[in-house]
Amino acid sequence: ARSAPRAVDGEELHALTIVCVIAADFPAQLPVTARSMAATMLQTLLASRGEREQMMAIELLSRGFATFRAHVDSAMVIRRLVGIMLRITEDQGEDGGRADRAEALGRGAVLGRAALVPSSSAPGTRRSSDGRANKASDARMGSVSFAVVGAAKSGLQRISALDMPVVSATLCSMLCDPSVDERWRALHAVGVVVQAHAALLHEHLEAVTSAIVGSLSPKRATERRRLVGAAGTCVRVLERSYACVSFHAETQTLAVGCTNGRCVAFDLRTGTRTSVLDMHGLVAAVAISPLGNLVASFALGSRELCVWDPQPSALAMFAKSLFWPTDAEAHGSVAPTKSMTIPDGFLVHS
């Protein structure tokens, strides 16, 4: 177990299975040395080429993650699971299939109109003129491969339930990665995590959304075109999963309510945050007006309903910067256009 690169034989696999079962169900009964050795072997199997070994490592490592996370590189494990889930391995070069990736990721200039990218269309999948995948791609997508993909997806969701802060931090790091492939993977992984554990990710929603928007910087136009389809899918998943997320396709405005009482507006055309409204209590609901020029947000604790402008004028932003010359966060702060307190008993819960 201490020599990580070597292969693991059958007897060691059986012993490892027993140790991992004990680690998952009776962690106190397992010595620290045994935990460390088992974690090393699991990481070796996870990085192997064999699908049987990968599936075994995913299952055992994710179920015993609470025990093994002190002995493994959690970020590496999560990145590896995301790569397997999207059928992308580190063996594929960074420069391979760039033109095909651009086609697979969609060419829409506006997120609201970009074609949705199905989770099965990984970068590098070649398409023939009639739209069918070539035979080499079909061979890689066999039933066993789909089993590994399903195991990786379940493993990521299981780890998310055990340690969402680590998962969200890793996904944010991937979204800021210089590699367009890494950001593409992270965008799809965010959707998988949200669909499984939206409530757990809610606390980290502002950080994740900021990273998603930041990955679409117009300064990198070519990369933006490759990511816009996956980002559009991710935004729609967020909007369907949270009442505190609203997106307006025409103005490319994304408004997000946070658990810390902040309501943040982003402009996806520029990839930047445009304004922040500070409220009192968890922001439970957000909606953008049909014209996209106003945002309504409701704070659950104070029962405060505010209507505000997500795109303040340059003059207004300059005036506010005079009052908060040293506070970078305050430069984007806005005051509500209208506000009111909802009385008790007014809200009807369905």
Side-chain angles (χ1 to χ4, degrees):
R2 291 193 176 98
S3 56
R6 73 176 179 82
V8 181
D9 59 33
E11 291 186 359
E12 288 177 320
L13 287 177
H14 287 111
L16 178 62
T17 303
I18 295 173
V19 171
C20 290
V21 170
I22 296 174
D25 297 334
F26 308 100
Q29 305 299 323
L30 201 63
V32 176
T33 304
R35 300 179 195 177
S36 178
M37 294 176 65
T40 301
M41 293 181 68
L42 288 174
Q43 288 190 100
T44 301
L45 293 176
L46 188 63
S48 67
R49 294 177 179 269
E51 293 179 341
R52 172 174 168 267
E53 288 79 9
Q54 282 185 345
M55 289 186 65
M56 179 179 177
I58 292 169
E59 180 72 15
L60 296 177
L61 186 57
S62 61
R63 290 191 179 278
F65 189 75
T67 301
F68 293 130
R69 60 185 163 190
H71 308 282
V72 299
D73 184 348
S74 299
M76 184 278 294
V77 170
I78 294 169
R79 285 173 180 262
R80 182 65 183 176
L81 288 178
V82 172
I84 295 173
M85 183 179 67
L86 296 171
R87 292 187 287 276
I88 304 172
T89 65
E90 287 75 2
D91 298 329
Q92 293 178 295
E94 284 295 321
D95 298 327
R98 288 295 188 186
D100 300 310
R101 291 188 185 114
E103 179 181 354
L105 292 175
R107 300 179 181 276
V110 181
L111 285 180
R113 297 173 181 173
L116 297 182
V117 179
S119 60
S120 59
S121 58
T125 301
R126 295 183 178 272
R127 297 281 174 178
S128 59
S129 57
D130 59 354
R132 293 174 297 177
N134 61 20
K135 294 181 179 179
S137 297
D138 291 338
R140 291 195 301 269
M141 304 304 175
S143 58
V144 177
S145 296
F146 278 111
V148 176
V149 170
K153 181 178 179 180
S154 299
L156 178 63
Q157 293 173 341
R158 202 174 290 126
I159 292 176
S160 299
L162 294 171
D163 200 341
M164 183 59 78
V166 171
V167 172
S168 63
T170 302
L171 293 179
C172 288
S173 176
M174 294 176 67
L175 287 166
C176 299
D177 196 278
S179 168
V180 65
D181 293 327
E182 196 78 348
R183 279 177 275 154
W184 185 91
R185 302 169 194 172
L187 287 169
H188 284 279
V190 169
V192 170
V193 173
V194 169
Q195 290 174 342
H197 303 292
L200 296 178
L201 188 65
H202 192 188
E203 184 178 351
H204 313 279
L205 193 57
E206 181 180 359
V208 173
T209 308
S210 297
I212 293 172
V213 175
S215 70
L216 297 173
S217 173
K219 296 179 181 178
R220 299 170 290 190
T222 303
E223 295 180 0
R224 179 184 170 92
R225 286 196 297 269
R226 293 169 179 164
L227 295 173
V228 68
T233 304
C234 187
V235 168
R236 290 185 183 92
V237 171
L238 291 173
E239 190 176 23
R240 288 196 302 265
S241 303
Y242 298 100
C244 61
V245 176
S246 183
F247 176 66
H248 191 268
E250 296 300 324
T251 61
Q252 293 289 283
T253 299
L254 177 65
V256 179
C258 310
T259 56
N260 59 2
R262 288 159 55 95
C263 195
V264 187
F266 300 93
D267 187 346
L268 273 65
R269 294 169 299 188
T270 60
T272 58
R273 185 189 66 185
T274 57
S275 56
V276 178
L277 177 68
D278 291 314
M279 304 184 69
H280 302 285
L282 182 148
V283 180
V286 172
I288 302 178
S289 65
L291 296 179
N293 59 335
L294 293 174
V295 175
S297 53
F298 175 70
L300 196 59
S302 61
R303 307 177 70 85
E304 182 183 16
L305 177 64
C306 295
V307 177
W308 49 287
D309 185 358
Q311 299 281 355
S313 64
L315 180 61
M317 296 298 293
F318 175 73
K320 286 187 176 296
S321 67
L322 297 178
F323 292 97
W324 295 288
T326 60
D327 188 357
E329 288 292 326
H331 288 177
S333 298
V334 297
T337 304
K338 296 180 180 179
S339 64
M340 62 177 296
T341 301
I342 305 299
D344 293 337
F346 184 82
L347 296 179
V348 178
H349 299 277
S350 57

